[in-house]
Amino acid sequence: MTNTIPLLTPRVANWMKFLCLNPNVLSDLLSEYGSPINIHHTDEFKQNIKELEDVLDQAEIPHLVQFARKANKCKAFVHASRIHGCGVDTASERELQECLDAGVDPQKLILTAAVKTRSMLELAVGHQVMVVVDNEDECRLVNSVAAGLQINAQLGIRISGFETDTGKLYSRFGFDLKTVPDLLENWTQEGLQHLSYRGLHFHLNGYSIPHRGQALLQSLGLAEELKQAGFVTDFIDMGGGLLMNYLKKAEQWLNFQRELKKAVKGEREPITFGNNGLGFQMVNEQLHGSLNTYPYFNTTPRKTFLSRVLEVQDEAGESVGSRLAASGITLRLEPGRCLLDQCGFTLARVASRKRDARGDWLIGLEMNMTQMHSSSADFLLDPLLIPRTEPQEDGPVQVYLTGAYCLERDVLLQRKICLPSFPEVGDMMVFFNTAGYMMHFFESEAHLFDLAKNIIYRAGTSSLSGDHFYADENSMDFLFQAQE
């Protein structure tokens, strides 16, 4: 059986390459802040925003891009959003408070929290932040808060239940769009006079371009129906879910999937821990399932994805883009992952090496599985080994990377990794492009481990030193004062 490990070469921004060529500085950062650390840079963030805005400007569609703050908890990206004129989508009271404290224009903020408390709503409504309501209980609570403040609350209505070629799309969030006209009429009948309807909001699972196009067309149709009833729609918010591309080579991505299927079928040596199929499994000697991961290689990232959504046509042949432009309705987006493309990486120190009972090498790192974890079954990018000293000329070695939790399943990457040399204790491992929904989203303090420190890199004209890095929680004003 073959034992070659398929490669998955990541796209890596120049600033990341530059830092990795300075191992002494990175080692000093680990000594100062502990392992692991997350290193961020906001220059790419600005360019990613501009790519989406350029598409919408060209289509002459009024728009507001709002960064989905839940994708990354660093304050640096809140400040960067403010500086670059981008809004922020907040999903908790603390996220909202930090944005207000950072000086983000309340008119460019939106509150989409799945559960909204009275104190959260008092903060939002009191600052006239747009609140997206999900159910009738929220409507009544928002009205109560607004009545107490003697102002009207600005509301978007989350909708779902779009009809597509695959049937009606289900979501546990939002109102069925067919019920919205009656909902607004009921506000008046129930005395909810402190609610001001402003727009429609939806978020779709998955990455279907046709489904997003159809959802926008049906939202436009609903907006026209509401207008006839006297309710004017200022905006339609299509949420996030715009793709980004992590990998350099399509062939590597296809080859990995071929080899994974072979491994699950027993036709080659495993390439994942415990021969985890990552969604594939054998049932009655037949391969079933599909890859349960993000599409790490794709040809429709960010601006291409958005452009194709706008090209979706209605039954009369008119495109989403042309209908939005003619309507004058503002298109809002809430991307997270794709705005954080190339904005951060995770750095960890090698703590141990051992062979397990299967004969596999396990390389223990000073980090845990929650510090690089998302809803994807695995993070399918090759990491980079940075040796502490000159690497031994012992040739490539296949390893699994394990974490610090006392759990059998604390395997940092399910995929077996091929390293150019055998790692030594104290060497460093770099996981690229982890800023979006990876380094923070499920991070925990189990075992009372500290959360990873978040460090901001600011490029300078002199040779790289520790002076080019700042702790996120302490340095925002200093970091951005030169840009304002």
Side-chain angles (χ1 to χ4, degrees), residues 159 177 180-181 184 197 199-200 216-236 314 318-320 322-329:
I159 55 176
L177 76 164
V180 172
L184 293 179
Y197 166 73
L200 302 170
L216 282 170
L217 289 172
Q218 290 170 48
S219 296
L220 283 165
L222 175 58
E224 292 168 1
E225 180 182 353
L226 293 176
K227 187 176 182 180
Q228 294 176 1
F231 299 101
V232 176
T233 300
D234 295 329
F235 71 87
I236 295 174
D314 62 17
E318 190 172 2
S319 71
V320 169
S322 62
R323 284 189 57 178
L324 277 167
S327 72
I329 294 174

Side-chain angles (χ1 to χ4, degrees), residues 388-400:
R388 180 172 50 91
T389 58
E390 283 296 318
Q392 299 181 12
E393 295 183 2
D394 50 11
V397 60
Q398 297 176 10
V399 306
Y400 290 108

Side-chain angles (χ1 to χ4, degrees), residues 107-365:
Q107 298 302 307
K108 292 186 176 181
L109 292 174
I110 191 166
L111 178 65
T112 60
V115 173
K116 302 177 183 70
T117 63
R118 178 173 288 273
S119 63
M120 182 193 305
L121 290 171
E122 287 173 346
L123 180 65
V125 175
H127 286 84
Q128 289 289 275
V129 171
M130 186 69 59
V131 176
V132 173
V133 290
D134 173 78
N135 56 73
E136 293 188 19
D137 288 326
E138 278 189 355
C139 294
R140 286 187 281 271
L141 179 57
V142 173
N143 185 75
S144 172
V145 168
L149 296 172
Q150 297 185 335
I151 55 177
N152 284 350
Q154 308 301 303
L155 295 191
I157 299 177
R158 184 158 184 169
I159 55 176
S160 59
F162 300 103
E163 298 289 347
T164 71
D165 55 354
T166 59
K168 190 169 186 174
L169 298 182
Y170 172 79
S171 172
R172 77 177 182 90
F173 296 105
F175 297 88
D176 189 298
L177 76 164
K178 294 180 180 179
T179 68
V180 172
D182 288 340
L183 173 72
L184 293 179
E185 290 291 346
N186 289 341
W187 286 0
T188 302
Q189 297 174 11
E190 294 182 19
L192 304 182
Q193 67 269 27
H194 292 283
L195 305 182
S196 294
Y197 166 73
R198 292 285 307 283
L200 302 170
H201 176 284
F202 66 84
H203 179 86
L204 303 185
N205 284 334
Y207 305 99
S208 169
I209 288 173
H211 287 177
R212 278 171 174 74
Q214 287 301 316
L216 282 170
L217 289 172
Q218 290 170 48
S219 296
L220 283 165
L222 175 58
E224 292 168 1
E225 180 182 353
L226 293 176
K227 187 176 182 180
Q228 294 176 1
F231 299 101
V232 176
T233 300
D234 295 329
F235 71 87
I236 295 174
D237 190 327
M238 62 177 284
L242 281 69
L243 282 173
M244 62 173 272
N245 178 41
Y246 285 90
L247 298 173
K248 276 189 175 182
K249 301 177 181 179
E251 178 53 35
Q252 287 186 349
W253 179 239
L254 297 173
N255 181 57
F256 166 74
Q257 294 179 67
R258 285 194 294 266
E259 296 302 309
L260 177 63
K261 292 175 184 178
K262 288 180 183 179
V264 173
K265 291 189 289 185
E267 297 174 358
R268 61 150 296 152
E269 294 294 327
I271 61 173
T272 55
F273 193 77
N275 205 19
N276 186 330
L278 306 181
F280 293 110
Q281 60 179 324
M282 294 295 291
V283 179
N284 296 327
E285 300 183 352
Q286 296 292 321
L287 185 69
H288 291 264
S290 59
L291 189 64
N292 186 25
T293 71
Y294 190 84
Y296 286 99
F297 181 88
N298 65 82
T299 58
T300 56
R302 207 164 30 248
K303 65 178 182 181
T304 304
F305 187 97
L306 179 57
S307 295
R308 293 190 181 177
V309 169
L310 298 178
E311 292 169 358
V312 173
Q313 296 181 350
D314 62 17
E315 294 181 351
E318 190 172 2
S319 71
V320 169
S322 62
R323 284 189 57 178
L324 277 167
S327 72
I329 294 174
T330 297
L331 177 62
R332 294 189 176 195
L333 300 82
E334 296 166 3
R337 185 191 302 264
C338 77
L339 291 189
L340 294 165
D341 186 12
Q342 302 296 326
C343 291
F345 67 88
T346 299
L347 178 70
R349 192 160 40 211
V350 174
S352 64
R353 300 84 44 86
K354 65 174 286 186
R355 279 196 187 274
D356 67 8
R358 298 189 185 109
D360 288 319
W361 279 107
L362 306 182
I363 307 302
L365 302 186

Side-chain angles (χ1 to χ4, degrees), residues 80-100:
S81 296
R82 172 177 57 84
I83 290 166
H84 303 312
C86 179
V88 184
D89 162 31
T90 64
S92 71
E93 184 172 352
R94 184 173 170 187
E95 285 186 1
L96 177 57
Q97 185 66 66
E98 286 187 354
C99 289
L100 292 169

